[in-house]
Amino acid sequence: MDQSQDAIDQAAAAAKARFEAMAHDAMARAERDRELAAKVQAMTATVSSRRGEATVVVDHGGRVTDLRISDRGMELSADDLSRVLLETIRQAGATVGQSVGNAVRESWGDDSPETARTVSSYDVFGAAPGGDTAGSSDGDGRFPWNIRGRS
């Protein structure tokens, strides 16, 4: 009977150790996720249009939190300025989406289903043309401020 009790005690101790390890891992993961959430919540992207007509700031969710139109932007027609603003906002959203994606991949890994879901939720912004941000100086002619032959 002592051998049976010893076997039961050992099995119970092993199970307790496994549960404690699982609980420890879950608490560590929860802390890592809290840190990631705080990091993502603080993320913003500031992007200026190529010729400096506008500067846009978006938060982690792609919401515009600041918008500045320069004197140069005020010289554009309403249609041209609208196109510049929309493209700059899209590029700022894509930029913050890339930052969020990088943080999530770093925390959860590339193979995590949560990573795939989170990164795909930022696809709404699309990729910046050529991988460049709107503030780059080497446009490829597809940018809206290259309209009507402006240089």
Side-chain angles (χ1 to χ4, degrees):
M1 192 134 154
D2 286 330
Q3 287 179 339
S4 296
Q5 189 60 44
D6 286 344
I8 292 170
D9 290 345
Q10 287 177 354
K16 180 181 177 187
R18 282 193 306 275
F19 288 130
E20 287 174 351
M22 289 170 53
H24 180 269
D25 290 348
M27 288 180 2
R29 188 173 343 116
E31 179 59 28
R32 185 183 69 230
D33 290 349
R34 277 191 292 279
E35 290 171 3
L36 174 62
K39 184 177 181 179
V40 167
Q41 290 285 325
M43 287 183 176
T44 63
T46 302
V47 175
S48 293
S49 61
R50 186 170 139 206
R51 302 209 185 281
E53 301 95 340
T55 300
V56 173
V57 180
V58 299
D59 67 10
H60 70 281
R63 290 176 294 275
V64 176
T65 60
D66 193 19
L67 171 66
R68 306 275 177 185
I69 300 172
S70 70
D71 290 339
R72 182 176 219 162
M74 294 304 293
E75 295 171 1
L76 297 175
S77 71
D79 286 344
D80 291 349
L81 180 58
S82 295
R83 282 190 289 273
V84 168
L85 292 173
L86 287 174
E87 181 62 24
T88 306
I89 290 167
R90 284 185 192 112
Q91 289 193 344
T95 299
V96 80
Q98 289 169 350
S99 297
V100 169
N102 291 339
V104 167
R105 282 185 199 94
E106 183 180 305
S107 182
W108 293 337
D110 285 327
D111 297 332
S112 167
E114 291 85 5
T115 297
R117 278 193 297 276
T118 302
V119 170
S120 71
S121 71
Y122 282 88
D123 287 345
V124 66
F125 297 112
D132 295 333
T133 62
S136 68
S137 61
D138 57 342
D140 63 1
R142 294 183 296 166
F143 294 102
W145 46 85
N146 282 341
I147 50 183
R148 296 195 194 132
R150 287 195 178 118
S151 54

